[in-house]
Structures are given as C-alpha cells and as structure tokens.
Amino acid sequence: MSDDSAAPERADTSKSTRTRERILDAAAFVLSRKGYAGTRLSDVAAQAEVQAPAIYYYFESRDALIEEVMWVGAHRVRAHVEEVLAGLPEDTSPMDRILEAVAAHLRYELHICDYATASIRNAGQVPEHVRLRPAAEEATYSRIWRDLFAQAKKAGQLRPDLDINVSRMLLLGSMNWAAEWWNPKMRSLNDLVKATQDFVRHGMGAVDLDDPTHG
C-alpha cells in the first residue's frame, strides 16, 4: 500500500530543487557577464524570475551564491574533460589526449557553460573566503593536466627540454584567458581550438626529424 501523503512532500522538494537550480543558472549568467563587483541579487532574481528575498531561502548570502556558482563551474569543466578523455579509444596517444582535452576545455568554457565562464573570469576578483572551495576543485582539475603532460613526456611526445609544469600552467592560463578576449564574430570557436592545438603540437611537441616540413 503506497503512502499518498508523501506525494506532496516529494513535489515540494522537486519544486524547491528546480527553483534552486534556476537561481544558480541565473547567477552564473549574471556573474559571467557582470563580474563579481557588478553582480547584484536583484539582477539574479530578475533573471531567475523570483523575488530577491527568496534567494536567501537557498543561499545565506550573495557570496555563498557566488561561491556555489564558481565551484559548479570548476567542477563541470573537470567532469566534462574527464568524460571526453574516458571516451577516447584506449590506443589514443598521450599527445592526442592533450589535444582532445584542449578542445573539450575550450568548447565547454566558451560555448556550453555560463558556470565555467563565470568561474574563470572571476577567479581573481572574489574575496579569499569565496575562492577556497572552487580553488580546491581547480587543483584537482590541474592534476588531470599534470598527468596528461607527464604521460606525453614519458612517451617522448614532448620536447625533452620542456618544463611540463610551467607549460601546463601557461596552457591552462591562456585557455582561461580566452574568455576575456575571444569574439565569435572575429574568429570561430573551431579556429580557436585548432590554433591552440597547433600551439601545443608545434610549440611543445617533440620535433620529428623525419618530418619533411621540418626545416
């Protein structure tokens, strides 16, 4: 015999979850465009189509809401890149794994996810207490790239003199900075992905002396 009295409670919980997600989505939208200093709860509420005081039912403060957006942004980028890498054939070379990760990061950051853009653009703007949890997630993500570079170096697919730690941080920094300057009206996302992959392949990759294009 089913307990019909639980149905309204489940419906309320589902509605509450949807409202919380709508507020988060709205905050990601506003934060990705107006930045930390310019993000106001009134703008988030208008975007989410809720009353501003309702936000405090789900988040204790403006900073708590922004922290959650930035953590979600960092987490979703990591999860997306991990999913792409996990779906590659087992015989994919270490260098090709880096190139696929480059494409996955840029496409998610610039085309798919307001959360990722909000997290990346505001990393240097928010107070330290807002940065702690997102920064821990970013550190986990950075270790994925550390492993990718280490595997490619071990396989001889990176220049022997390459400092893989510095190169990894430069690559991540340049990809994240694209959120500030990339304009889809000036160049396509496909062009940006290819240019970044070429930068890795030709700037960091081992020189193939048998390649006829090598001078």
Side-chain angles (χ1 to χ4, degrees):
M1 181 175 178
S2 63
D3 183 3
D4 292 338
S5 65
E9 181 178 348
R10 287 195 298 269
D12 288 345
T13 300
S14 178
K15 181 180 178 181
S16 177
T17 299
R18 290 196 302 271
T19 301
R20 185 180 187 276
E21 286 298 313
R22 197 162 74 247
I23 291 170
L24 272 175
D25 289 347
F29 178 87
V30 175
L31 186 62
S32 68
R33 289 157 177 80
K34 296 191 174 183
Y36 175 76
T39 294
R40 294 173 173 77
L41 291 185
S42 58
D43 294 332
V44 174
Q47 181 69 23
E49 299 182 342
V50 299
Q51 296 297 315
I55 294 175
Y56 289 104
Y57 176 80
Y58 300 95
F59 302 95
E60 64 181 18
S61 66
R62 171 180 174 270
D63 277 358
L65 172 59
I66 289 174
E67 179 195 48
E68 183 70 9
V69 168
M70 294 187 66
W71 180 86
V72 170
H75 175 74
R76 288 186 179 179
V77 170
R78 176 173 68 84
H80 177 70
V81 172
E82 283 183 327
E83 182 179 0
V84 168
L85 291 173
L88 295 176
E90 290 186 7
D91 60 351
T92 302
S93 74
M95 174 57 85
D96 284 339
R97 289 176 64 81
I98 292 177
L99 299 180
E100 290 296 329
V102 164
H105 179 105
L106 286 172
R107 293 188 190 284
Y108 201 78
E109 170 195 351
L110 299 173
H111 182 64
I112 301 174
C113 186
D114 281 335
Y115 286 88
T117 305
S119 179
I120 289 166
R121 278 184 166 171
N122 292 279
Q125 298 182 29
V126 299
E128 185 175 353
H129 70 273
V130 176
R131 280 286 299 145
L132 292 178
R133 197 161 67 103
E137 182 67 16
E138 290 162 14
T140 300
Y141 181 50
S142 183
R143 287 193 289 272
I144 294 173
W145 287 89
R146 179 197 64 191
D147 293 343
L148 288 171
F149 270 76
Q151 290 160 11
K153 185 75 175 284
K154 184 178 180 180
Q157 295 186 320
L158 295 177
R159 289 188 357 236
D161 63 330
L162 191 73
D163 185 323
I164 60 174
N165 291 319
V166 171
S167 298
R168 166 176 57 93
M169 297 306 293
L170 285 172
L171 176 61
L172 285 172
S174 64
M175 290 196 298
N176 288 344
W177 186 247
E180 297 296 335
W181 62 262
W182 177 67
N183 183 343
K185 295 179 181 178
M186 300 297 294
R187 56 179 51 79
S188 72
L189 182 54
N190 287 338
D191 287 342
L192 177 61
V193 168
K194 183 181 183 303
T196 309
Q197 290 175 327
D198 287 345
F199 168 72
V200 173
R201 183 186 291 109
H202 302 301
M204 302 180 188
V207 175
D208 183 358
L209 297 178
D210 294 326
D211 184 349
T213 65
H214 175 65

